[in-house]
Structure formats: C-alpha cells, structure tokens
Amino acid sequence: MRLWSIHPDLLDRAALVAGWREGLLAQKVLRGMTKGYRAHPQLERFRTLADPVAGIATWLHGLADAADARGYRFDRTRVVLPPGPERLPLTDGQLALEWAHLRAKVIERDPPWLDRLAAPRPHPMFDLIPGPVAAWERADLLEE
C-alpha cells in the first residue's frame, strides 16, 4: 500500500490509479471493515487525526480531482465522506524519499512522464515542515 504524500497531479497514471485503489482499501480498513491491513504503517498518520475516515476521504478526493483533470472517471460515490478541512504534517525528508521512489518507478514504466517531474509538491492536505523520513516508512525504501 502506498498512500502518496506527493501532489496527485505529479503521479503518473499507474501511481494515480494504484493510489486510488489502495486509498479505497485504506478507507475500508479505517472504517473497521477488513481483517487485514489493520496495522499497515501507511495508516498511522491518518490515525493521528480526530476522524481518520474523514482524513482518508479528503486524501481520496485529492486523487479524484487529479483524475478528473486528466479525463479519468474515478467513482467518487465510493468515498464515504466529502472532502474536509483535515490537514497533516509532512516532513521534507518524507517528501524527498517518496519523490525519489516515484521518479525511479516512472523511469521504468513511463519515461516521458519524467518531464512533468521538475519539483516535488505535497498532496493538498499536507503541510510541509522540516524533518526526517517518517518513522512508519518501509525499511527497504530507506536502504535505496
């Protein structure tokens, strides 16, 4: 599961579509509707919110907005709440790690998309702050 902190406009098609699918799974997990993925580290930051489900819904709407701009049809009726005012901090270290990870993926699967990856920006619900990679991040990405 990769719930990108990067602005959805910067995600290539594969990352945007996978993020949508994984975000919908995260929504189910946060609503207590699954047996698996309940301890997935990517969900830790959403659980810090007063309403984690509202947080993931806000995140999903950000992806749907980017999909709409590209002419994709993400089914917003699957998101259980409208976008809200939820905000989360995002460290510049985490953004840099995800940026490098996205660029590596794009080089493999969609090299022309690299031209759009001039500078990282966070998803609209994140406030960028100085700091290291998040404690919940996958260890294998830290080794790259």
Side-chain angles (χ1 to χ4, degrees), residues 90-95 97 129-135 142:
L90 172 66
T91 63
D92 53 4
Q94 181 64 34
L95 183 61
L97 178 93
I129 60 171
V133 173
L142 298 173

Side-chain angles (χ1 to χ4, degrees), residues 7 9 19-20 31 43 45 49 53 63 73 76 86 94 109 111-112 131-132 143:
H7 198 292
D9 291 348
W20 176 254
R31 293 177 69 203
L43 300 176
R45 59 184 164 176
L49 294 167
V53 176
L63 266 68
R73 294 192 177 145
R76 284 185 195 254
E86 288 73 26
Q94 181 64 34
R109 66 185 175 214
E143 296 168 1

